[in-house]
Amino acid sequence: MYRRSSSILTIAAALAFTITVIGGPQRSAEAQKLRNPESPSAESIEEGRRLYARHCASCHGLGGKGDGGMALSGGTPSDLTDDEWDCGETDGEIFTAIRDGVSSDMLAYRDKLSDKQIWHLVNFLRSIGPKPAGKDR
Ligand code: HEC
């Protein structure tokens, strides 16, 4: 009994390690725990769309395909409509990527946008991209 549960623990630990490594260093448990306080209403999505056109479309493209053409340091702006999220696919992780930035191309927006505005952006991105894993697509 003891041996069995300890081997299950070993497997669980190995799995957790693997997931952490595959997920990459940018994923944080703290970001994953953040809950989106803005419901994805038509108003919120519209506000997100407006902010996106102004702040994000130059790089990520108006439709979010990553084809806006501009990237400061030669990076490739992510396609925000596919289901690949290098920085994590939960609302909280997308929020954190926008707020804290990712690189010298994808800068932090915490001084330019309020938290509320960033959540509107997350709701807009959800409206043009796939839903988080496990929810209806
Ligand atoms: C100067 C160009 C530029 C602007 C402006 C920009 N981004 Fe980015 N963004 C990038 C690049 C390039 C990446 C890919 C990561 C990297 O290499 O830096 C990225 C990555 C991201 C990611 C992570 C995608 C993933 O797969 O995990 C999100 C989310 C994102 N951007 C959202 C936004 C939002 C929202 C705005 C506007 C508030 C914005 N970006 C403005 C260039 C930009």
Side-chain angles (χ1 to χ4, degrees):
M1 189 57 194
Y2 171 72
R3 292 192 66 176
R4 188 159 174 214
S5 63
S6 76
S7 67
I8 288 172
L9 268 181
T10 310
I11 292 167
L15 249 175
F17 177 75
T18 313
I19 289 167
T20 312
V21 169
I22 292 173
Q26 281 156 349
R27 300 200 68 168
S28 91
E30 202 185 312
Q32 284 174 19
K33 268 187 273 165
L34 282 180
R35 289 285 162 261
N36 188 342
E38 297 297 325
S39 71
S41 62
E43 291 76 25
S44 169
I45 290 171
E46 198 41 49
E47 178 64 12
R49 188 191 311 280
R50 208 178 53 77
L51 291 165
Y52 179 88
R54 174 147 173 227
H55 295 279
C56 323
S58 55
C59 288
H60 290 284
L62 258 186
K65 288 280 182 197
D67 53 358
M70 189 184 90
L72 300 177
S73 326
T76 309
S78 313
D79 182 341
L80 301 174
T81 65
D82 64 14
D83 58 4
E84 271 176 49
W85 295 100
D86 296 337
C87 306
E89 76 281 353
T90 66
D91 281 14
E93 287 168 309
I94 296 170
F95 172 87
T96 304
I98 300 167
R99 185 191 59 189
D100 299 345
V102 180
S103 68
S104 51
D105 283 311
M106 181 60 213
L107 300 169
Y109 279 85
R110 75 169 83 70
D111 296 333
K112 288 197 184 121
L113 302 170
S114 67
D115 283 6
K116 200 180 168 77
Q117 289 176 312
I118 297 176
W119 286 119
H120 290 318
L121 277 166
V122 171
N123 286 338
F124 167 67
L125 293 180
R126 286 283 178 229
S127 79
I128 61 169
K131 305 286 175 288
K135 298 199 181 163
D136 288 342
R137 293 209 160 211

